[in-house]
């Protein structure tokens, strides 16, 4: 499945004032990197992949439509799948973008 171009455009707009943002095709989707670290991506499976603080994972997955990323059969703290319907409105999208951006921004530049 190809990633959602409209959602990618919305992410691009949400990150338009953020310095050091680059885009890269990854994981069958389109990732947005801040300072060289992935912050958020439009998933080829629908919705978003969002980087988060590992310690906040449990709290964040308590929300409807949010779950831990599963890679190679293993749940990953610090990475979330957020369904498309959760980010239907711009305020919700910006909230999830900010979560990923802030974590990526806190990492050493690559």
């Amino acid at each position: 499945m190809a990633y959602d171009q409209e959602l990618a455009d919305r992410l691009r707009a949400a990150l338009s004032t953020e310095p050091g943002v680059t885009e890269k095709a990854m994981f069958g989707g389109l990732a947005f990197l801040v300072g060289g670290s992935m912050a958020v991506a439009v998933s080829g499976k629908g919705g978003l992949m969002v980087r988060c603080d590992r310690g906040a994972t449990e709290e964040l997955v308590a929300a409807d439509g949010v779950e831990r990323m599963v890679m190679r059969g293993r749940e990953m703290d610090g990475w979330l799948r957020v369904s498309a319907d959760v980010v239907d409105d711009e305020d919700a999208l910006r909230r999830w973008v900010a979560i990923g951006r802030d974590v990526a921004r806190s990492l050493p530049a690559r």
Side-chain angles (χ1 to χ4, degrees):
M1 169 191 235
Y3 64 85
D4 182 336
Q5 293 285 339
E6 181 182 333
L7 186 52
D9 289 342
R10 291 175 59 215
L11 280 175
R12 202 172 281 117
L15 287 163
S16 64
T17 60
E18 180 68 31
V21 173
T22 56
E23 298 177 22
K24 185 175 183 179
M26 296 174 80
F27 309 114
L30 183 64
F32 291 80
L33 293 79
V34 175
S37 295
M38 187 178 130
V40 63
V42 181
S43 174
K45 296 179 180 179
L48 300 178
M49 291 173 45
V50 179
R51 185 175 225 158
C52 70
D53 180 275
R54 291 175 62 90
T57 303
E58 194 67 35
E59 175 187 341
L60 293 169
V61 299
D64 289 339
V66 181
E67 56 190 30
R68 283 180 176 82
M69 280 292 305
V70 176
M71 297 180 99
R72 297 187 178 134
R74 198 177 103 212
E75 289 186 343
M76 308 285 291
D77 284 340
W79 293 95
L80 307 171
R81 286 195 48 76
V82 179
S83 66
D85 61 324
V86 170
V87 294
D88 274 346
D89 71 74
E90 294 310 305
D91 288 339
L93 178 69
R94 289 183 185 281
R95 174 182 177 255
W96 290 103
V97 167
I99 289 169
R101 179 205 60 214
D102 291 350
V103 172
R105 204 191 273 163
S106 74
L107 301 171
R110 295 175 159 214

